[in-house]
Amino acid sequence: MTAGDEVRAPGELPAVGYAPSVPRPPIGFAIDVPDHWTVLDLDPATSEAWLAAFLSGRLSDRPHTQRQRALARRALRSLLDQLREQQVFLAAILAADVGGEPVSASATLAWRRLRPAGSTLPIDGLVRVATEAPAEAGEDRSERLVEVVTLPAGPAVRVTSARAVAVPGTDAVPTMAQTQHLVPVLDTGWLALLTTSTANPSLVAGVDEVADQMAESLAFTPIPAGRG
């Protein structure tokens, strides 16, 4: 999937957009998202129509009540709002049933400006930041793994971690497995933060593989002066 003004989500969903308020570096980029994952519409101007189409396609052949549909819509709308607040540029989810049990995973791409234009982010500095960052709620920092990897886009830092996450309204406290790639964006002073996560133990290995595949597919293209 090549990023531009719009991307085509899998299936018959409308083309999705990006939240215009979310910052991004002045470069072109491309990234591949697995075909069986659904790219979310984060543009407030179009997300409601996209959400209606998504729910219609997912629930059309199931005996859900209007109340259940409303709850699903509310939950997804809340997720979209949360992603915008976190200034996520691109998000995709995997939502399916395996053996009658629901499974899910997510992938997000966010941009963070750390230095002025013309700066190259030092890998050793990113390693230090990732290693020394305080533990998140429910995380055992001693289990965090930080390593340097070489991607087509250049050297990057790969971080794997896990943390216990309470599920609101239940007594469940599943373990959320997370993989992050911190990828310097050429010499722009920007960082690409690619994150995948899942709380389903049966999906951890597969989602970890997806994380690496997406990171390998990430490519940056400088925009010629005057092109905007």
Side-chain angles (χ1 to χ4, degrees), residues 41 103 123 137 146 180 187 216:
D41 190 324
V103 296
I123 291 298
V146 180
Q180 287 188 321
D187 59 353
E216 288 282 343

Side-chain angles (χ1 to χ4, degrees), residues 77-227:
R77 186 182 290 122
S78 176
L79 172 61
L80 297 179
D81 290 341
Q82 182 180 20
L83 291 169
R84 293 187 194 108
E85 290 175 3
Q86 296 171 348
Q87 296 198 311
V88 168
F89 183 83
L90 171 71
I93 59 171
L94 171 67
D97 292 324
V98 177
E101 293 294 326
V103 296
S104 64
S106 67
T108 61
L109 173 65
W111 308 101
R112 300 290 183 259
R113 186 169 188 172
L114 304 183
R115 289 193 173 188
S119 303
T120 300
L121 299 178
I123 291 298
D124 56 345
L126 294 176
V127 168
R128 185 168 59 254
V129 169
T131 302
E132 298 176 358
E136 295 188 49
E139 179 194 5
D140 181 353
R141 202 174 75 169
S142 66
E143 297 296 321
R144 185 189 302 168
L145 175 63
V146 180
E147 56 188 328
V148 177
V149 295
T150 301
L151 304 175
V157 177
R158 185 179 190 273
V159 185
T160 55
S161 60
R163 58 191 178 94
V165 181
V167 178
T170 74
D171 295 328
V173 187
T175 297
M176 178 75 72
Q178 177 176 280
T179 300
Q180 287 188 321
H181 286 84
L182 288 67
V183 189
V185 182
L186 305 178
D187 59 353
T188 65
W190 287 76
L191 181 73
L193 182 59
L194 178 63
T195 306
T196 60
S197 61
T198 182
N200 294 99
S202 62
L203 293 185
V204 172
V207 173
D208 196 49
E209 183 177 348
V210 166
D212 291 339
Q213 291 173 347
M214 291 181 66
E216 288 282 343
S217 74
L218 189 59
F220 305 129
T221 305
I223 297 177
R227 289 287 298 276

